[in-house]
């Protein structure tokens, strides 16, 4: 009896320990050419009305807008073509993961993000056929080179963040409901000036990560050259333990004000680069860019030489 009880006790302790340790195993490891099978190129009209023409994978590869070799994966906007104002927008690339993820850790090892006036890049997750009910988590997003980066959730009604968890970032919004405040969402700005655009690229790029559980969503950021990034994350280890990753810049807690499990379902990872559109175009001049955004895009192909993503890897742990 005593030994049976102690066996029960030991397995209880083990069960509690395994629930509490935030250890995840590598599920998908996208490096170089594996992005070409793990992601689909979405040749769709830009939902945000940007001055882009999203091309399919065969077109992107033939025009070298998508490039995969070794441990390099690049997607970019065209930087050679002058456009007719009445024709389609600048060729660009938008990719969506084949797999969907619920509770998971996503790691984005980024060498370079698109920069330049009019650029509006994003690395984010959603269920496109169920927006906003399936939730949206924006991990990297910004416009016109304006730093810092902001992480944002967008949901259906009934999700607010009256208080956040312990985090280093600055709260930009507390109502996650996409129908409120012009879909501003509940966002938190990174507390580092080099988290976005040219500053990010000058720091050698860096590491963005998100952990999604039913208890919270957290996001972390480290520059590549600034040090401090956890070794399991930077090395692409077979497992990661987010308990060792320190205070996140953003921590959205599950609470009576927002039941995360009911506001998020299986999400794809999406990486897109649009130009102008509802956000970048609307603030083009106030962000220090001159003239009309679409005209700028049409007439200045060489301004897009640095409008590219270069990924060392995207890794998903479950
Ligand atoms: C395609 O892009 C890659 C990465 O920028 C570059 O190294 C390569 O030379 C390009 N290929 C051609 C044919 O332009
Ligand atoms: C990417 O597309 C989604 C809509 O499908 C939009 O919410 C997001 O802002 C877009 N971002 C860019 C950079 O195109
Ligand atoms: C995405 O949303 C659709 C529509 O509600 C749903 O049927 C589907 O199961 C969702 N996908 C995932 C992976 O949860």
């Amino acid at each position: 009896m005593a030994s049976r009880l102690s066996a029960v006790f030991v397995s209880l302790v083990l069960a509690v320990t395994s629930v509490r340790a935030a250890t995840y195993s590598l599920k998908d490891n996208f490096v170089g050419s594996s992005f070409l099978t793990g992601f689909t190129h979405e040749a769709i009209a830009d939902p945000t009305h940007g001055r882009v023409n999203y091309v399919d994978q065969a077109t992107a590869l033939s025009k070298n807008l998508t490039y995969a070799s070794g441990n390099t994966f690049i997607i970019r906007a065209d930087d050679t073509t002058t456009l007719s104002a009445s024709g389609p927008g600048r060729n660009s690339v938008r990719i969506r993961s084949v797999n969907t993820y619920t509770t998971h850790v996503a790691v984005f090892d980024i060498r370079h993000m698109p920069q330049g006036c009019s650029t509006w890049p994003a690395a984010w997750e959603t269920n496109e056929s169920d927006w906003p009910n399936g939730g949206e988590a924006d991990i990297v997003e910004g416009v016109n080179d304006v730093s810092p980066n902001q992480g944002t959730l967008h949901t259906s009604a009934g999700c607010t963040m009256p208080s956040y968890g312990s985090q280093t970032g600055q709260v930009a919004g507390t109502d996650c409901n996409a129908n409120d405040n012009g879909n501003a969402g509940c966002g938190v700005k990174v507390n580092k000036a080099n988290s976005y655009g040219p500053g990010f690229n000058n720091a050698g790029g860096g590491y963005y990560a998100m952990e999604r559980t039913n208890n919270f969503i957290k996001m972390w950021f480290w520059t590549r050259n600034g040090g401090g990034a956890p070794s399991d994350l930077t090395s692409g280890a077979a497992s990661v333990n987010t308990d060792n990753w320190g205070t996140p810049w953003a921590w959205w807690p599950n609470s009576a004000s927002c039941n995360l499990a009911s506001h998020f379902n299986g999400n794809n990872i999406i990486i897109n680069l649009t130009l102008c559109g509802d956000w970048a175009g609307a603030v083009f001049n106030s962000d220090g860019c001159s003239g009309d955004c679409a005209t700028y895009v049409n007439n200045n192909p060489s301004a897009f030489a640095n409008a590219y993503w270069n990924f060392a890897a995207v890794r998903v742990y479950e």
Side-chain angles (χ1 to χ4, degrees):
M1 188 64 180
S3 67
R4 272 187 57 194
L5 269 179
S6 65
V8 167
F9 179 72
V10 166
S11 55
L12 268 177
V13 169
L14 286 174
V16 168
T17 308
S18 63
V19 164
R20 293 190 57 171
T23 302
Y24 296 79
S25 300
L26 186 59
K27 164 74 168 35
D28 286 321
N29 187 21
F30 302 111
V31 177
S33 59
S34 61
F35 278 94
L36 300 177
T37 48
F39 283 77
T40 304
H41 281 58
E42 294 187 279
I44 57 172
D46 176 35
T48 52
H49 314 107
R51 187 73 184 123
V52 290
N53 178 46
Y54 284 131
V55 297
D56 62 26
Q57 181 166 302
T59 305
L61 287 170
S62 72
K63 294 183 182 299
N64 210 26
L65 301 176
T66 294
Y67 170 82
S69 176
N71 64 2
T72 296
F73 180 71
I74 290 174
I75 54 178
R76 71 175 117 229
D78 164 272
D79 67 348
T80 60
T81 311
T82 301
L83 305 174
S84 153
S86 56
R90 185 162 297 287
N91 283 345
S92 187
V93 174
R94 171 187 172 110
I95 58 172
R96 184 180 73 183
S97 66
V98 172
N99 289 339
T100 58
Y101 310 99
T102 54
T103 58
H104 68 290
V105 171
V107 173
F108 299 81
D109 182 342
I110 307 169
R111 297 194 184 99
H112 186 280
M113 73 164 64
Q115 68 177 70
C117 278
S118 83
T119 58
W120 175 3
W124 56 298
E125 298 191 358
T126 197
N127 177 344
E128 284 185 303
S129 63
D130 194 23
W131 189 90
N133 298 323
E136 172 181 344
D138 302 329
I139 301 142
V140 186
E141 187 174 28
V143 297
N144 300 321
D145 290 348
V146 177
S147 196
N149 183 61
Q150 179 178 313
T152 311
L153 305 185
H154 303 269
T155 67
S156 55
C159 177
T160 60
M161 294 288 151
S163 59
Y164 280 83
S166 173
Q167 59 187 16
T168 60
Q170 181 198 346
V171 173
T174 59
D175 185 351
C176 311
N177 182 355
N179 305 303
D180 293 346
N181 306 322
N183 187 23
C186 51
V188 184
K189 292 182 190 297
V190 182
N191 58 319
K192 290 176 185 155
N194 52 13
S195 54
Y196 187 83
F200 174 87
N201 294 331
N202 291 337
Y207 308 94
Y208 273 97
M210 176 175 79
E211 179 180 10
R212 173 182 157 194
T213 74
N214 289 336
N215 294 323
F216 56 75
I217 294 174
K218 297 178 183 175
M219 293 184 188
W220 289 266
F221 168 68
W222 301 268
T223 60
R224 187 175 310 279
N225 297 341
S231 59
D232 55 358
L233 178 150
T234 60
S235 67
S239 68
V240 292
N241 184 348
T242 55
D243 283 349
N244 300 329
W245 288 6
T247 306
W249 103 71
W251 178 337
W252 295 265
N254 184 65
S255 75
S257 303
C258 184
N259 182 318
L260 291 174
S262 69
H263 282 94
F264 285 83
N265 58 22
N267 281 190
N268 299 91
I269 297 171
I270 304 179
I271 300 165
N272 43 358
L273 167 58
T274 195
L275 307 172
C276 305
D278 297 340
W279 185 12
V283 296
F284 189 67
N285 294 142
S286 56
D287 283 348
C289 304
S290 44
D292 169 68
C293 192
T295 306
Y296 177 83
V297 171
N298 295 343
N299 296 343
N300 296 290
S302 64
F304 297 91
N306 289 313
Y308 67 93
W309 289 101
N310 181 339
F311 289 94
V314 170
R315 295 191 173 89
V316 182
Y317 295 82
E318 289 182 338

